């Protein structure tokens, strides 16, 4: 079973065991439904336990979760910095969507079929994710993740991503 993180838990919220959290998924409405089962992994990664989601709501830029198994502020406090995990097979992605962990390490291939680098990171500071492409002995360069314009294709089976290199990119 391959577990992926969907949220990072923060401090308790209120007195009934609710917990503030930061979403790590682009699909919170699909992932955080009442009755959904998750694995909570402690912040030190030493323990795991299964929980059932009672509710999820937005509070500012955070989410607020309540779980059937957590009913007091003291119980919620023990979950600070824990991660909410789910089996990857239970969190399918829509077409042309990818998990960041699957993109790191892909070979960046230019229009002529030459490898021009390797994906080192996926930055998510703006409205469009941006790939950081590392090159041996040369300065890294950045490619916006815009399919059809800068990124021709992503082939996870081949471990490659086709890049449309434009003037000034490298």
């Amino acid at each position: 079973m391959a577990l992926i993180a969907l949220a990072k838990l923060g401090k308790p919220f209120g007195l009934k065991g609710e917990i503030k959290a930061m979403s790590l998924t682009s699909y919170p409405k699909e992932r955080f439904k009442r009755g959904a089962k998750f694995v909570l992994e402690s912040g030190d990664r030493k323990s795991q336990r299964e929980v059932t989601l009672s509710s999820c709501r937005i509070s500012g830029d955070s989410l607020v979760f309540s779980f059937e198994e957590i009913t007091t502020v003291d119980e919620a406090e023990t979950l600070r910095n824990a991660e909410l995990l789910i089996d990857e097979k239970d969190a399918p992605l829509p077409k042309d969507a990818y998990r960041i962990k699957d993109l790191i390490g892909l070979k960046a291939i230019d229009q002529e079929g030459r490898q021009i680098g390797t994906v080192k990171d996926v930055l998510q500071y703006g409205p469009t994710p941006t790939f950081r492409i590392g090159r041996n002995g040369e300065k890294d360069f950045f490619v916006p993740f815009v399919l059809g314009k800068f990124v021709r294709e992503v082939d996870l089976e081949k471990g490659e991503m086709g890049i449309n290199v434009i003037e000034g990119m490298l």
Side-chain angles (χ1 to χ4, degrees):
M1 174 165 67
L3 295 174
I4 56 172
L6 295 182
K8 175 99 171 174
L9 302 185
K11 63 183 180 179
F13 186 85
L15 301 174
K16 297 182 180 180
E18 292 181 308
I19 305 165
K20 275 195 153 193
M22 177 180 67
S23 178
L24 302 175
T25 178
S26 297
Y27 307 100
K29 288 181 182 173
E30 291 84 0
R31 305 289 185 243
F32 303 127
K33 293 184 178 178
R34 181 184 174 98
K37 302 276 188 198
F38 298 97
V39 173
L40 271 178
E41 183 172 77
S42 63
D44 59 8
R45 302 194 186 288
K46 290 184 179 178
S47 65
Q48 292 183 341
R49 70 187 233 192
E50 189 173 284
V51 292
T52 307
L53 189 65
S54 293
S55 68
C56 174
R57 69 179 190 280
I58 296 172
S59 175
D61 60 351
S62 301
L63 299 173
V64 177
F65 293 129
S66 66
F67 301 101
E68 291 178 10
E69 300 80 2
I70 312 297
T71 58
T72 70
V73 68
D74 292 333
E75 291 173 310
E77 183 63 45
T78 67
L79 301 176
R80 195 182 285 250
N81 297 319
E83 287 189 335
L84 192 64
L85 310 173
I86 191 169
D87 191 332
E88 188 171 9
K89 70 176 177 47
D90 294 331
L93 294 173
K95 185 180 184 304
D96 293 330
Y98 304 94
R99 298 188 200 291
I100 290 175
K101 71 177 187 65
D102 295 334
L103 298 170
I104 305 291
L106 290 180
K107 296 178 215 160
I109 308 296
D110 70 9
Q111 295 94 313
E112 285 78 43
R114 297 177 301 217
Q115 181 176 344
I116 55 173
T118 304
V119 177
K120 289 173 61 175
D121 199 0
V122 180
L123 309 173
Q124 299 195 61
Y125 302 122
T128 302
T130 301
F131 295 108
R132 179 184 199 127
I133 310 292
R135 300 185 293 166
N136 288 335
E138 296 185 52
K139 195 172 166 185
D140 293 352
F141 68 99
F142 299 87
V143 177
F145 190 12
V146 179
L147 279 172
K149 183 165 184 164
F150 297 108
V151 177
R152 291 190 318 277
E153 66 177 337
V154 175
D155 189 331
L156 297 178
E157 288 183 19
K158 282 185 174 179
E160 296 178 350
M161 178 173 53
I163 304 283
N164 288 324
V165 178
I166 61 171
E167 188 176 331
M169 184 179 278
L170 298 178

